[in-house]
Amino acid sequence: MYENYYGLNSKPFQLTPDPSFFFASKWHKRAMSYLQYGLSQAEGFIVITGDIGTGKTTIANSLLDAMEAGIVAAQIVTPKLTPDELVKMVASKFEIPVKGSTKSDILGDLELFLTQLHQQGKRALLLVDEAQNLPLETIEELRMLSNYQKNGKPLLQSFLLGQEELQPILRAPNMEQFRQRIVASCHLSPLTEDECQAYIEYRMQHAGYEGNTLFSSDAYDKIFVFTRGVPRKINTLMDRILLYGFLEELESFDETAVEAVVKEVADEMFLPDNKVADDQETQASGDAQPTAATNATGEAAPNVLKDVTYYKAMLTELTDALDDAISHKIKLTRYIDKLLKKKYKTYVRLKSDD
């Protein structure tokens, strides 16, 4: 409805995950690097967690969209599946008939399918979305499926995507064997305030917008405070803001216009007024970092916040260094792979000459 009014060729903020609209924030880049690294290793599990709406499924779809030849991928979205139900669903996603078959028959057919892929120079990849819904015994069944091997190489690799509740599940004492199979893991955080603005601008431009700046800086602030940087919430709010702008014939949005839409959306989401106000106040006060905490008597406490900031800076430096290391390892792995292929071709040519 508003697309023509703002000169767009598609909806920039649809809720359905679209890999063509993938926005690579710092954490999303890191998650994608882990997935690509996992693919290059061709074994083990990659675990990506994140709060609702932070873009886990979008990352998975982007990975599938850019999948290299030779990888046969299947994606499942898991309710609370039993181990037997999981085996049936995995087989079905790989187009293996399951009707009337026992679990033993299905496992045999699945192993045969994976072996045939291996003989064709291909391999299988399973993406499990909403993995936090899986019971412990079902996750253990996933580990058992990863035991299928041929000549020392696994025939099935799995990526797990889930909400934060997946983390304590995997930390359970009886999940030690599964944890040893995890190649890498990453937790997606919401967008920062700067990333929130960049995300909106990226999606508008990707949808064909070529006009003047639509939003004032105060308008962007309002959007970030209400959505807390969660991409799905940004999409929901932005879609309504653009619709509001079309109905009101607005060519730009200031703080007042955004606030009007925020109130409408908050009412429809059944959010109490005081919660919206508290969120805004908390976010606004969060911009200024206090230098010291106070105790119950109002006196300045020891430098607790200073210590926290120090360790946060250390963790940031460490994660950045790990990112660089992973990036270099991916490049090195690809180089070695190309070198081995070249040497193999030379070997085949020499053998044929003999």
Side-chain angles (χ1 to χ4, degrees), residues 108-124:
D109 292 340
L110 181 59
E111 184 176 13
L112 177 61
F113 168 78
L114 296 174
T115 302
Q116 290 174 342
L117 281 183
H118 176 76
Q119 292 171 347
Q120 298 168 13
K122 300 178 181 179
R123 57 192 178 94

Side-chain angles (χ1 to χ4, degrees), residues 111 115 145-156 181:
E111 184 176 13
T115 302
L145 291 178
S146 70
N147 286 335
Y148 289 132
Q149 296 185 5
K150 195 71 175 178
N151 299 327
K153 292 185 177 182
L155 301 178
L156 178 66
R181 302 281 184 92

